[in-house]
Amino acid sequence: MIVSITKIELNSYLKLVPFFKLNGQIIAELQQANCKKNKVAGSWNGRVWYTMTLWENENDINAFYRNGTHLAAMKQSGKFSSKIESRRIQNEDLIPWKEAKKLFGNN
């Protein structure tokens, strides 16, 4: 199984509403995709957000990421953030947020 974790730092608080709208659409599509599990977490200041998804294989991840709302979101990402990072790890289940954030150098 593959865990995909993304960290998004919004450019400003003005981007929260459009970000939530797009993220809601992506989550709805995840539930129709081959994604096994997903979760989202925000930081205390509301500008840094993390997503975590669990997939059986790279083909399933790539099929989702390169299509639909997620593809549209990637094309618009520069409007929301200049700092987007992703990590992929092998694991049988989603990991705790504390562990996930350490992958980005956050303690």
Side-chain angles (χ1 to χ4, degrees):
M1 300 291 279
I2 302 167
V3 177
S4 177
I5 308 157
T6 301
K7 176 184 176 185
I8 302 166
E9 187 172 335
L10 301 179
N11 291 332
S12 78
Y13 292 109
L14 297 174
K15 305 301 181 182
L16 272 173
V17 172
F19 171 74
F20 282 139
K21 182 179 177 186
L22 200 53
N23 201 44
Q25 293 170 352
I26 291 170
I27 290 170
E29 282 188 13
L30 273 172
Q31 294 170 354
Q32 304 300 315
N34 288 335
C35 179
K36 302 303 177 193
K37 292 183 181 179
N38 68 81
K39 61 183 182 177
V40 177
S43 64
W44 63 271
N45 70 8
R47 286 192 55 200
V48 179
W49 292 88
Y50 297 86
T51 62
M52 191 180 318
T53 52
L54 181 67
W55 304 86
E56 281 191 33
N57 57 59
E58 291 282 339
N59 289 337
D60 289 346
I61 295 172
N62 292 334
F64 178 77
Y65 284 1
R66 294 180 180 153
N67 290 292
T69 303
H70 194 275
L71 177 62
M74 289 191 308
K75 289 179 180 179
Q76 297 177 40
S77 64
K79 296 177 183 177
F80 294 99
S81 174
S82 56
K83 288 186 172 183
I84 299 175
E85 300 176 69
S86 291
R87 305 282 188 272
R88 291 184 184 175
I89 61 169
Q90 297 287 325
N91 206 57
E92 290 305 309
D93 205 351
L94 298 177
I95 62 175
W97 283 119
K98 188 173 184 177
E99 187 179 331
K101 291 175 183 181
K102 285 182 181 179
L103 296 171
F104 298 96
N106 301 11
N107 298 321

